[in-house]
Amino acid sequence: MQNSNASTLLHSLSLFKKNNLLLNNPIDISEDFYKPENEFFLAGNVTRFDASKAEGTIQWNFNRWAYDWFFNKIDKHLQPQTEKSAPFQDYDVHPHCKFSVSFISQRTFRLRMQTTTAKQTEHPSLMLVDEPPADKTWKIKESKNEIIYSNNAGKIIIQKNPWQLQIFDNNDNLLTSTKTAETLSGMHSKMLPFLFMRRATDNSRSIAASFSLHTDEKIVGCGESFTALNKRGQKLNLFTADTQSTASQQMYKPIPFFFSNKGYGMFAHTSTPCTFDFGNTHAGSQTLFIGEDALDIFFFIGSPKEILNEYTNLTGKSPLMPLWSFGLWMSRFSYRSQKETLEVAENLRANKIPCDVIHIDAGWFKKGINCDYSFCKENFPSPKKMMGELSEKGFKTSLWQIPYFTPLNPIFDEVINEQLFTKDGNGNLPTQDAILDFSNEKTKAWYSKKLKALFDLGASCIKADFGEAAPLNGFYASQRSGFYEHNLYPLRYNKLVSEITKASTKENIIWARSAWAGSQRYPVHWGGDAEVSAIGMACSLKGGLSLGLSGFTFWSHDIGGFSAAPNEELFKRWTFFGLLSSHSRVHGFPPREPWFFSEDFQNTFRKIVELRYKLMPYIFTQAYIASQQGLPLMKALLLNYPDDETAWFIDDTYLLGEDVLVAPLMENTTARKVYLPAGKWIDYQTKKIYEGEKWHLIEAGELPGILLVKNNSLIPHIELAQSTAFMNWSKIEWVAFSNSTQAEGKLFSPQTNKLQTVTASLQNKKWTWNNKTATKNFNIKNYT
């Protein structure tokens, strides 16, 4: 990535003023591209190119907005300019700048473009796991006006006059191409061509990378977006924000990556604010408005699963999380004493509700929710003893904290005196709170010491809450402003908490709310402060599926919603959804514990939790498989059925792993319409069989939700235990969901750390094993 020579602080402040923004609300980068006072430079001819090195220079043609009139309508269009109003012609009217293409793998290539001739400062990328490799399989063919690079996966064509990039699959189908001035369709076109813009306010530059869209194209990704799964027709501002809702266009976890049903994807390698317009302004164009003054985009060719694998090869795959993390997490806002915490644990065991984690939220400090990393001695007289007792009963302990310190916080002065905070241009606080600067090595060491002390007491996980408010007008130890650091802050935060945790516990786990590209390396992330409503529940699922399509394997959400006490009916349905998610945490305003509700609710709650614990071998196995491939554990249907057009629109149903389909009840009803992809599907509760590639009205069984298993599946179960710590993995019961004579399943055991595939046949009404890997301890029965 590259830094601007202009004052990015001035730039950040001017963006806030021009967008009339309240503090830490998302920026719409696209607005500046339509302001007539700014200068615009459209991609012109290639003036030099070395095909063997895939690098050269391009002329950017100077344009300005000009007003036009047509009957009773005044509008504007981009108009070429022949000169600049500068003395002695000291500046190029049409600058010539470098660009290059590099090939990373058979399915991945990278485009980099400069918007200045000045040498730019290079910064190490936190988003990439390593320097991208070079792939030598691409063949070169050059003619007078074009260069073709091709291999078995597809090809790209670079047109020289004017410059244009075209991307094809291996069947010569055009996937997408850049929009040039020549492709403007008539004098009234609202399409914005591929260009960069120079602001009149501060001379800073940003890029609009415009590409074509097919008439039937669908787009997915861009992080934990709570809007419709298919982003076609939407405009998304990629700027980490405390959304305070899951029914908002804002995002805790924006990710500048997406892919298309046409067989390609893009990753904008930047940390600056971005606005991605997918046919919102112009139906035939997708424009990536990027705050950065240099373009750096990775392109991927392939199926959805192949694209996700390629993207996570670059930015990292989620490691497999510890087994206990897949159990139930019990929490509320908040347990406020050692006595209360231990009573919750006792009640869970007394009421036979399996659970693995007790989370203590913002209630363990002396002064309200002011995080000082110290237990209140009056309320928690012996935290180490408490966590030891919890551990003996099969519970891990999770603790809440944040990196913000109000002036009333007991350690506020320490943070200020030690100079650990993000500063303004004068070296002082840019906000009321002192916000830790995680690009500062001294801050990281101080923070590590604080968290290590908590692990030494017996904590197993740290909740890395917030992280979306890094000041845009701040200066950081990285020598960059908040324009570059705001979106990076969650990644620095996630990384540091994860590294401290692993150094103390040897396990890969945090519980985080904010994220940026690369944060999937530090799981798990949860969906933030969901509204306690059907909409809050439905939009949480949209966000989780969208995040899974953005490289994140694991995800969770607050069961019941966060912002108020849930009613029983909603809580019951959300429990079904939550316990059949990647990770399951009950959290929000009290009460949350099932014994505070009716006996009927508690019985239903218990049965749903028991179902998850019995399915733990399946869930853990699918978690392992997904983490190895860069895929989500909770899959949107389109991932496994990319050729099914309907699947690209389904955002209220998902696959849990490869073989199980979950359709939560989003409304207060006992039945709902469910779209099933190809094949036969068997209802886990009612045993009814449904044909795929069609819609069905399906009645829920005893539990308030719909759970179906793909035909010919062997699903491993385990004997019920009150904690994963007490499970006996030597005895696995397999259930054959098959109306034929064959079934197959997989098992990844935490005891052997090996993936095992087993197959079985039905002979004389009895299932028998087809392979020697099945042992005498593996029992099998039919789903009927």
Side-chain angles (χ1 to χ4, degrees), residues 61 471 726 746:
N61 295 326
F726 307 144
K746 296 180 185 296

Side-chain angles (χ1 to χ4, degrees), residues 669-686:
T669 181
T670 60
R672 58 158 286 189
K673 288 184 177 180
V674 181
Y675 179 77
L676 299 179
K680 288 184 171 65
W681 295 86
I682 301 169
D683 193 311
Y684 190 96
Q685 298 191 76
T686 68

